[in-house]
Amino acid sequence: LVSQQMLANKAKYIDNMMQLFKEFDEDRDGTVSIAEFCAHLNDDRVRAYFESLELDTTDVRTLFRLMDPGDREELLVDDFVAGCMRLKGAAKS
């Protein structure tokens, strides 16, 4: 029962991150640029949401770089979701 709840929570978290990615991707090219990322994290609502997920938004550019595995200056949805999950886990350590 506990593991089912954990899986459900993880699935909901992933779904929320995918929706957030779509919101960030203003030009609908399937990627989030550093400019799009920074613009959205300047929104107090988005910043509060990230902080509720225990993601530190103090240095937006560093947060982006930590999610960008290939230093491409853009994130794919998988990079964004995996980065959020990895950094959320790191915040608890």
Side-chain angles (χ1 to χ4, degrees):
L1 185 65
V2 172
S3 62
Q4 288 177 333
Q5 184 62 40
M6 289 175 66
L7 289 174
N9 288 345
K10 183 177 179 180
K12 183 176 180 181
Y13 182 81
I14 290 170
D15 186 55
N16 288 342
M17 290 299 99
M18 292 176 82
Q19 292 302 316
L20 198 57
F21 179 88
K22 288 178 184 177
E23 184 179 322
F24 280 30
D25 183 15
E26 292 179 357
D27 59 8
R28 303 291 180 245
D29 67 350
T31 65
V32 171
S33 68
I34 194 162
E36 289 170 322
F37 188 80
C38 290
H40 282 276
L41 277 171
N42 283 328
D43 179 332
D44 289 337
R45 178 185 58 88
V46 173
R47 188 177 291 265
Y49 182 68
F50 264 62
E51 289 172 1
S52 78
L53 298 173
E54 301 174 20
L55 295 171
D56 184 8
T57 60
T58 307
D59 186 346
V60 176
R61 290 188 178 274
T62 297
L63 180 60
F64 182 90
R65 286 188 195 105
L66 289 170
M67 292 183 184
D68 181 13
D71 293 324
R72 296 182 312 265
E73 296 292 317
E74 63 185 14
L75 301 173
L76 300 172
V77 68
D78 291 341
D79 300 331
F80 183 76
V81 172
C84 287
M85 292 181 70
R86 184 180 67 251
L87 294 171
K88 182 179 189 293
K92 291 182 177 179
S93 301

